[in-house]
Amino acid sequence: MLAVTVVVVGIMGLGLLAGGAWLAALGGSIYYLIAGIMLLLTSWLLARRRAEALWIYAALLAGTMAWAIWEAGLDFWSLAPRGDVLAPLGVWLLLPFIARRLAPSMRTARWALGLVLIVAVVVLGVSLTRDRHDIAGTMPEIETTGAIASSEPTRPDAGENWTAYGGSGFGTRFSSLSQITKDNVKDLKLAWEFRTGDHKGPDDPDEITNQATPLKVGDLLYTCSPHQIVFALEAATGKLRWKFDPQVQHNKAFQHMTCRGVSYHATRPGAVTADGAPAPNDCAGRIFVPTNDGRMFALDAQSGVPCQSFGNQGQIDLKQGSEIQTLGFYEGTSPPLVTDKVLIVGGAVIDNYSDRVPSGVIRGFDIYSGRLIWAFDAGNSDPNEMPSASHHFTAGSPNSWSISAVDEKLGLVYVPLGSSSPDIWGGGRSRENERYDSALIALDVSTGKLRWSFQNVHHDLWDMDMPSQPSLVDLRSDGGVTPAIYIPAKTGDIFVLDRRDGRQLVPAPEKPVPQGAAKGDRLSPTQPFSELSFRPSGMLTDAQMWGSTMFDQLACRIKFKRLRYEGPFTPPSEQGTLVFPGDFGMFEWGGIAVDPQRQIAIANPQSIPFVSRLVPRGKDNPAAPNAAHPPGTELGVQPMYGAPYGVDLGIFLSPLGIPCLAPPWGNIAAIDLKTHKVVWQHRIGTIRDQAPLPLPFKLGVPMLGGPIVTAGGIIFITGTMDDYIRAFDVRDGRQLWQDRLPAGGQSTPMTYEAGGKQYVVTVDGGHGSFGTKLGDYVRAYALP
């Protein structure tokens, strides 16, 4: 065994010596170079059976411990990879079948090494008791109900019903139900389960997901599956009432195959159309569902039969008006926004494939007839220009693939936009063409005219779309009530504006950002930085690079030093640029939840860097479409036809496939809306379903899907990479309950009341590219 140990220690030393020399040459830490030399010396001394080997190794272990604490502090998960190979090896060297083969004078050396190992155990034990990323705090007690009611008499909260994606058009994901509380949430049990039967087929893209948040109206629950099949279930039992299949074809060329939900509209007595005519008699309640092949259906809410008065026998073609109508290039992935008379529709346009792609135009249709009333084409000098025989909507103009919010009292719809196509090179964009890129636009519901806009990123080259449904809340203060809008961004910023005019309520000053654009491109000299943000305040360093061992951590440090990185908004480059926050986003389509009673917001930010490398045209990256680069993915080499470069996009991973940035990668946090300060923040999620062994280590993992919050003081969330639904106490973020899910819960849950009982429902379909288990489950929980 000694001979084997000599060889293993020698190989380790050679690896650290070579890698450490490379890292030192790049300007990184010299620790690995020194560690490699000391391991080689240890190996040589072991081969000669000299007790000094243990002294050298004890010195290496003690030095490693001191260096690790200096670099990472007493944070267990940052310390672990720095010592998880060396410490066990130290124990191995003390075992009798190794130690007895050394010179007799080794007793003191054994005691020295043993003492260092004991100190290391104590240090790790102490580090387990603290988390430098954790914020421990408690929200103040709720105000009196009377004061709340008098200040916000018309607030559209969800309660018995959940009638829109975000609970209501305000997008708060708040429910006024309070049957489930911190005292009884632990007793939640599965009440019913429904299987949709919609599974991934051989001709589906990898990016197949079910991200739906169901609706509940009356006695029915409405949801959809990845191929946009709509299901109406009995809310109390989960039994199928009806289903509608739009017959979306399975096609690998589609970049997505997903459904985030459906929308609902009820015809009021005496209702009229946008033209002033009496509303039709059919479909007193309507369910709207967009499809991945670019259609919109209106269905009778009670029967699932298409509404014959809407469009062409219940459907309209959303590809109309665009010159490019390639199947799968324009996809309806998110539910449209419903108002009294107007159906407001956006859609997803294929990312980074070409500059010749469909328009991302936002459109308003008559909610009854499906007639186009208005358009807002963000890439057009006249955004409201309607299509005609001589005019098409602007190819590749900014699209809205996410969910909008509405304040019907103000008559405004708030639409989050992405960037012009292609995303990562903007040399071909005019300043007029991109003035609304990655912006939040406030449009008049009736006319589509712009009231105001706010751009979250200027000349966006990082795919920093506005990803989330904004949340509307009336902020209370001694001076009265201010109608606000909270806009989560991929950058980690939350922009807080007056929703009447776009005036900043939380400062977001312009700050200088790195320069040096790729050839033919340009950069904005400044970008807005909100003072309410989860973006790390400092620059990343190689000390924050991570791995499961010191060896892949070293590889991550070398990768980091080889990339271009000068902080947020470092421009794309042929060298390869570290993008952090990555274009996965600190916030995604799940958004935040806002409790308007307690005046708090619940956020679940995540931290995953990306690498963006511009690829010049050549044999492996041709200038024109070919079979080698079909559409259908958002990772790997993206062709960006029409630009002088393609782009290679990927998550910043170690050779073992784990993030190179130290955890946490996901947190849950509460924000006091009176002070706009984070009151508490904790890691959320384990690596149980991603690690080779089912280890329940709570590192804090990435998420897709957002939280909801209830008047009962409970937060529910399911989006983590481990398959759980969890409940937290809104006051301090303490986890109160969890239950194992049969598949990935990459969706946002919802809650409603039926038969006097409060239910919490989650859609668990998994996520293809996210790597969670696929399924076809709709599950409801309730108290016994």
Side-chain angles (χ1 to χ4, degrees):
M1 295 303 292
L2 179 61
V4 173
T5 302
V6 168
V7 172
V8 170
V9 173
I11 292 173
M12 290 171 55
L14 287 172
L16 289 180
L17 179 68
W22 190 2
L23 179 61
L26 292 170
S29 172
I30 63 170
Y31 160 78
Y32 296 91
L33 176 60
I34 296 171
I37 293 172
M38 295 183 75
L39 279 175
L40 286 174
L41 182 56
T42 300
S43 176
W44 180 74
L45 290 169
L46 286 173
R48 295 175 64 86
R49 302 194 178 193
R50 291 177 57 175
E52 288 87 343
L54 299 188
W55 281 108
I56 296 296
Y57 198 81
L60 170 61
L61 202 57
T64 297
M65 187 164 43
W67 165 79
I69 294 172
W70 172 74
E71 261 205 339
L74 289 173
D75 180 81
F76 177 81
W77 292 113
S78 294
L79 292 176
R82 291 166 166 86
D84 61 1
V85 172
L86 294 181
L89 179 57
V91 174
W92 175 267
L93 294 177
L94 290 179
L95 295 178
F97 52 78
I98 300 294
R100 285 176 184 168
R101 292 176 174 257
L102 301 182
S105 60
M106 57 77 181
R107 181 185 297 270
T108 306
R110 286 183 65 187
W111 276 106
L113 179 55
L115 180 61
V116 172
L117 286 169
I118 291 170
V119 173
V121 170
V122 171
V123 167
L124 286 178
V126 171
S127 70
L128 280 169
T129 65
R130 31 181 101 189
D131 184 350
R132 61 193 172 106
H133 300 280
D134 191 83
I135 300 174
T138 303
M139 294 298 303
E141 290 299 320
I142 189 171
E143 297 180 22
T144 63
T145 305
I148 295 167
S150 62
S151 65
E152 298 172 83
T154 60
R155 192 181 64 221
D157 296 338
E160 177 184 349
N161 295 316
W162 188 283
T163 59
Y165 174 84
S168 71
F170 270 32
T172 57
R173 280 159 283 281
F174 170 76
S175 171
S176 61
L177 298 180
S178 58
Q179 185 179 87
I180 300 171
T181 68
K182 64 182 180 65
D183 296 319
N184 61 24
V185 66
K186 65 182 185 301
D187 300 322
L188 283 177
K189 302 294 182 185
L190 186 66
W192 56 258
E193 178 179 279
F194 176 78
R195 305 286 298 271
T196 68
D198 188 7
H199 298 281
K200 180 182 179 181
D203 295 323
D204 279 324
D206 290 337
E207 184 79 355
I208 187 165
T209 67
N210 194 352
Q211 301 171 353
T213 296
L215 307 184
K216 188 266 185 180
V217 183
D219 64 343
L220 290 181
L221 187 82
Y222 302 97
T223 191
C224 57
S225 60
H227 295 94
Q228 293 89 58
I229 303 171
V230 183
F231 300 85
L233 311 177
E234 293 179 4
T237 65
K239 292 181 179 178
L240 180 67
R241 181 77 62 86
W242 59 258
K243 85 171 186 177
F244 171 80
D245 187 349
Q247 300 295 318
V248 174
Q249 72 175 59
H250 298 214
N251 189 329
K252 283 186 177 296
F254 282 27
Q255 204 165 62
H256 307 271
M257 187 62 70
T258 192
C259 189
R260 292 195 183 95
V262 299
S263 300
Y264 173 79
H265 177 267
T267 303
R268 295 181 294 102
V272 296
T273 68
D275 295 326
N281 293 323
D282 67 329
C283 300
R286 294 173 179 233
I287 296 295
F288 293 97
V289 60
T291 64
N292 283 183
D293 56 9
R295 294 175 290 163
M296 176 70 70
F297 285 87
L299 311 174
D300 184 279
Q302 291 301 312
S303 67
V305 174
C307 301
Q308 298 301 301
S309 61
F310 183 83
N312 180 15
Q313 297 182 325
Q315 65 175 294
I316 55 177
D317 185 356
L318 298 177
K319 299 185 294 297
Q320 287 188 357
S322 284
E323 181 182 358
I324 296 94
Q325 299 193 7
T326 307
L327 195 64
F329 278 25
Y330 181 95
E331 300 182 81
T333 56
S334 295
L337 188 110
V338 166
T339 68
D340 186 36
K341 299 177 182 177
V342 184
L343 181 72
I344 299 168
V345 180
V349 174
I350 187 170
D351 269 343
N352 288 316
Y353 186 70
S354 170
D355 60 351
R356 298 294 297 163
V357 294
S359 174
V361 60
I362 312 303
R363 286 168 285 186
F365 298 91
D366 185 295
I367 202 126
Y368 298 106
S369 69
R371 179 181 66 85
L372 180 63
I373 300 171
W374 56 256
F376 187 90
D377 183 1
N380 191 339
S381 58
D382 176 9
N384 298 117
E385 185 177 3
M386 297 287 274
S388 65
S390 60
H391 171 70
H392 291 102
F393 294 127
T394 308
S397 62
N399 67 87
S400 181
W401 56 265
S402 190
I403 305 98
S404 299
V406 66
D407 186 333
E408 293 204 62
K409 185 176 179 181
L410 291 177
L412 292 178
V413 56
Y414 305 94
V415 184
L417 293 180
S419 64
S420 303
S421 187
D423 293 40
I424 313 299
W425 191 83
R429 304 178 203 157
S430 69
R431 297 185 188 278
E432 183 177 73
N433 180 265
E434 66 172 3
R435 59 192 159 158
Y436 303 119
D437 276 18
S438 302
L440 190 286
I441 54 174
L443 305 179
D444 186 289
V445 168
S446 300
T447 67
K449 299 286 187 183
L450 180 72
R451 292 277 192 90
W452 58 265
S453 67
F454 176 82
Q455 192 169 55
N456 126 87
V457 176
H458 313 314
H459 193 66
D460 184 5
L461 303 176
W462 304 271
D463 193 19
M464 291 294 152
D465 306 338
M466 284 293 203
S468 306
Q469 180 184 31
S471 296
L472 313 185
V473 61
D474 293 332
L475 295 178
R476 300 190 301 271
S477 68
D478 294 340
V481 176
T482 303
I485 181 169
Y486 285 74
I487 313 165
K490 283 187 177 182
T491 58
D493 288 334
I494 300 177
F495 296 101
V496 186
L497 311 176
D498 187 316
R499 66 177 183 265
R500 296 169 295 190
D501 54 18
R503 176 175 56 89
Q504 292 181 20
L505 299 178
V506 172
E510 296 280 336
K511 297 182 180 180
V513 292
Q515 298 297 293
K519 185 178 179 181
D521 211 336
R522 64 184 186 278
L523 293 167
S524 171
T526 64
Q527 297 288 355
F529 286 74
S530 176
E531 291 183 5
L532 175 55
S533 183
F534 288 90
R535 174 178 15 210
S537 56
M539 296 265 289
L540 292 182
T541 69
D542 64 327
Q544 292 167 275
M545 298 305 106
W546 202 68
S548 59
T549 68
M550 65 190 305
F551 298 101
D552 54 319
Q553 184 180 44
L554 171 58
C556 282
R557 285 180 180 247
I558 293 171
K559 286 180 68 174
F560 174 77
K561 283 295 186 180
R562 295 184 69 198
L563 293 169
R564 182 178 179 187
Y565 174 72
E566 298 153 32
F569 303 107
T570 302
S573 63
E574 293 182 47
Q575 171 186 348
T577 292
L578 184 68
V579 182
F580 182 71
D583 54 2
F584 200 65
M586 291 199 84
F587 291 105
E588 257 288 349
W589 45 264
I592 62 175
V594 175
D595 183 333
Q597 294 182 356
R598 294 178 175 85
Q599 296 275 279
I600 63 170
I602 305 301
N604 59 320
Q606 55 191 343
S607 304
I608 300 291
F610 264 58
V611 176
S612 170
R613 183 175 64 87
L614 294 176
V615 183
R617 295 296 173 203
K619 179 183 177 182
D620 296 325
N621 185 32
N626 66 27
H629 292 281
T633 179
E634 288 185 294
L635 295 176
V637 176
Q638 311 288 290
M640 296 205 302
Y641 299 123
Y645 300 94
V647 63
D648 190 357
L649 292 172
I651 303 172
F652 185 39
L653 298 175
S654 82
L656 299 182
I658 61 177
C660 272
L661 180 66
W665 306 305
N667 290 293
I668 188 165
I671 304 162
D672 187 333
L673 300 187
K674 299 180 184 67
T675 62
H676 291 111
K677 302 297 183 185
V678 175
V679 177
W680 56 256
Q681 178 172 282
H682 312 304
R683 299 174 191 244
I684 179 173
T686 71
I687 59 170
R688 168 175 175 161
D689 295 306
Q690 302 299 316
L693 297 174
L695 303 172
F697 295 155
K698 187 178 177 181
L699 273 70
V701 298
M703 293 160 278
L704 282 173
I708 66 170
V709 61
T710 71
I714 306 298
I715 302 158
F716 291 99
I717 190 167
T718 63
T720 53
M721 291 188 82
D722 56 349
D723 303 335
Y724 284 97
I725 179 174
R726 292 180 170 92
F728 297 88
D729 190 327
V730 76
R731 298 173 306 166
D732 55 13
R734 180 169 53 95
Q735 183 172 312
L736 302 172
W737 170 81
Q738 68 177 23
D739 191 47
R740 191 85 171 129
L741 300 175
Q746 281 66 58
S747 61
T748 301
M750 51 83 74
T751 185
Y752 62 88
E753 183 181 293
K757 181 176 289 190
Q758 182 180 354
Y759 293 82
V760 178
V761 169
T762 170
V763 172
D764 309 315
H767 194 289
S769 64
F770 204 54
T772 55
K773 181 181 177 183
L774 299 181
D776 65 334
Y777 299 87
V778 183
R779 290 160 62 89
Y781 291 88
L783 296 172

